[in-house]
Amino acid sequence: QVQLVESGGGLVQAGGSLRLSCAASGLTFSSYDMGWFRQAPGKEREFVATIKWSAVRVYTDSVKGRFTISRDNAENTVYLQMNSLKPEDTAVYYCAAVYSTGALIPTSEKLYTYWGQGTQVTVSS
């Protein structure tokens, strides 16, 4: 079965950096678009970034210039490098996967098929 396992979360001071990883198994990783989402306490889950099988990347406006999504198809892993972290970045971060369908860039959580269990990121001020 498909498994997505996130790691790399933790507690960091504002201005610091973290690198999240998501290891995928049970799927042909290179054929899937991979996304990162986050959910802060009391808020709905929101899109953060996605990277298509073709390496096309899209980010939500609030993380542009600070976060970088990347993938290693040989390792079946997607990464989220987070720099210049702010307290408002505090959330549970989830990775997700969907079989790529052409040019569509999946930014809605409704489009994703598989989800990880999440990893907590806490940014202190």
Side-chain angles (χ1 to χ4, degrees), residues 24-101:
S25 61
L27 51 72
T28 305
F29 184 76
S30 59
S31 298
Y32 279 72
D33 298 339
M34 301 298 296
W36 285 97
F37 290 76
R38 65 187 180 187
Q39 187 168 21
K43 296 187 177 181
E44 294 187 351
R45 189 157 55 185
E46 65 173 356
F47 168 76
V48 176
T50 187
I51 183 167
K52 288 187 62 66
W53 66 272
S54 59
V56 169
R57 298 167 173 83
V58 173
Y59 300 91
T60 192
D61 286 346
S62 63
V63 308
K64 286 180 181 177
R66 300 189 298 123
F67 291 10
T68 302
I69 189 170
S70 62
R71 64 189 298 158
D72 184 337
N73 288 341
E75 296 294 329
N76 287 2
T77 301
V78 62
Y79 302 98
L80 186 68
Q81 177 67 45
M82 305 186 295
N83 298 329
S84 302
L85 282 161
K86 304 175 180 180
E88 51 263 44
D89 294 318
T90 295
V92 177
Y93 283 71
Y94 299 89
C95 76
V98 58
Y99 188 81
S100 186
T101 53

